[in-house]
Amino acid sequence: MPILMANGVGLYYEVHGEGVPVLGIHGTPSSALMWEDAAGRLARNSRCIIYDRRGFYRSGRPDLSDAVDLADHVGDAATVLEALSATPAVVIGRSTGGLIALELARRHPEMVRTLVLLEPAVLTLHPDAVAWAQQLRRAVLDAAEEDPSSASEVVFREVLGGGAWESFPAPLREHFTAASPAVLAEIRGRGLDLSQAPLELSEAEAGHIRQPTLVVSAEDSPEALHAVNRRLADLLPNAETALVAGGHIIDPAGPAVLDFLRRHLPPGSPGQA
């Protein structure tokens, strides 16, 4: 099992294909397991790298008492890119992974060629999203007092709707349940979407993120997430938007993403003939 060390934590990673580097950053709770199909499609014309973020599935896991910050995840992503000589990279992030991708581009602009943000969890950009995140945080913490292993289930039920959890196959539910300590560690940390002190991206900070960026929304997602995407697209200097069918688990290699990359990257990039 390929593992690289990042800031004292062993991170599981996979590399698919050759060409322009593409880094996929999964959401919370999730893992690279949820990106394997997309990685295979992106790898047809790129070098697609996916990894399990610290605390998730095959990577090093925090204890229930640990806290994980946005800075930890950004540092891990930068380490993965450096260790694999994969800069500058296309960085695709979904949900919390989109928040990490955005902050990676802000802190390390030289590492990021292009951004694809699939409903990034920059929830402080809109008051409705702040209220939604606070409600979700309370729901997760209340449930965790009774059963710490329920944290992931609560997130999925609140974000995707009541029946979403039952729609996952049993092995996948077990996989997500095992990620509950990582969910709680992020809640106890700083800078992440459900943290007590989430990232507050100023207009000036957003204005310095100049990479071509695609901001993707899903039709069936909560309106609060749509409001965040509209605000973010207004703030980023080189952003465009796309609306796709379905819910919050947006395909990282869907037609809108591939079309964007085809237009913004040289021959040999994802989706290029």
Side-chain angles (χ1 to χ4, degrees):
M1 194 166 71
I3 297 287
L4 61 82
M5 295 303 298
N7 308 304
V9 175
L11 299 179
Y12 171 86
Y13 70 95
E14 300 176 7
V15 179
H16 302 260
E18 298 179 353
V20 174
V22 174
L23 179 68
I25 308 179
H26 67 78
T28 299
S30 186
S31 74
L33 183 67
M34 296 285 287
W35 286 61
E36 288 183 350
D37 178 66
R41 284 177 280 139
L42 288 166
R44 292 169 187 166
N45 294 289
S46 75
R47 181 185 178 212
C48 185
I49 301 162
I50 54 176
Y51 70 105
D52 291 346
R53 294 196 281 114
R54 63 171 58 211
F56 293 93
Y57 196 26
R58 294 154 292 195
S59 290
R61 300 187 181 190
D63 295 328
L64 280 174
S65 59
D66 287 345
V68 174
D69 298 335
L70 174 60
D72 295 321
H73 285 306
V74 171
D76 290 348
T79 298
V80 170
L81 290 176
E82 289 176 341
L84 300 178
S85 300
T87 61
V90 176
V91 182
I92 305 175
R94 184 162 62 198
S95 192
T96 302
L99 169 62
I100 296 165
L102 191 67
E103 187 68 352
L104 176 68
R106 189 182 74 82
R107 295 192 186 193
H108 303 284
E110 75 286 353
M111 291 188 164
V112 179
R113 179 194 297 265
T114 307
L115 279 170
V116 176
L117 306 175
L118 311 176
E119 292 190 337
V122 198
L123 303 181
T124 54
L125 287 180
H126 195 279
D128 290 348
V130 171
W132 182 79
Q134 290 173 343
Q135 183 274 328
L136 175 55
R137 173 188 169 88
R138 286 194 299 269
V140 173
L141 290 176
D142 288 348
E145 285 187 6
E146 297 292 329
D147 179 7
S149 70
S150 69
S152 294
E153 179 179 346
V154 174
V155 171
F156 275 114
R157 288 187 183 279
E158 292 288 330
V159 176
L160 300 180
W165 181 254
E166 285 77 12
S167 70
F168 293 123
L172 202 52
R173 291 199 300 271
E174 293 174 4
H175 167 63
F176 292 140
T177 297
S180 289
V183 175
L184 296 172
E186 291 186 355
I187 286 178
R188 283 189 292 271
R190 296 181 59 83
L192 291 154
D193 42 303
L194 298 184
S195 301
Q196 182 69 34
L199 174 72
E200 296 196 17
L201 186 71
S202 70
E203 291 189 22
E205 289 169 334
H208 289 297
I209 301 172
R210 307 197 65 83
Q211 293 90 340
T213 302
L214 178 65
V215 182
V216 185
S217 302
E219 291 177 347
D220 297 337
S221 287
E223 173 56 30
L225 300 184
H226 289 193
V228 166
N229 274 9
R230 288 193 294 268
R231 178 60 176 156
L232 184 61
D234 286 341
L235 291 176
L236 296 175
N238 295 305
E240 59 184 86
T241 62
L243 180 66
V244 300
H248 185 57
I249 303 180
I250 299 171
D251 184 359
V257 175
L258 294 180
D259 176 70
F260 174 80
L261 296 179
R262 185 182 301 113
R263 289 184 285 110
H264 287 275
L265 295 181
S269 302
Q272 295 281 355

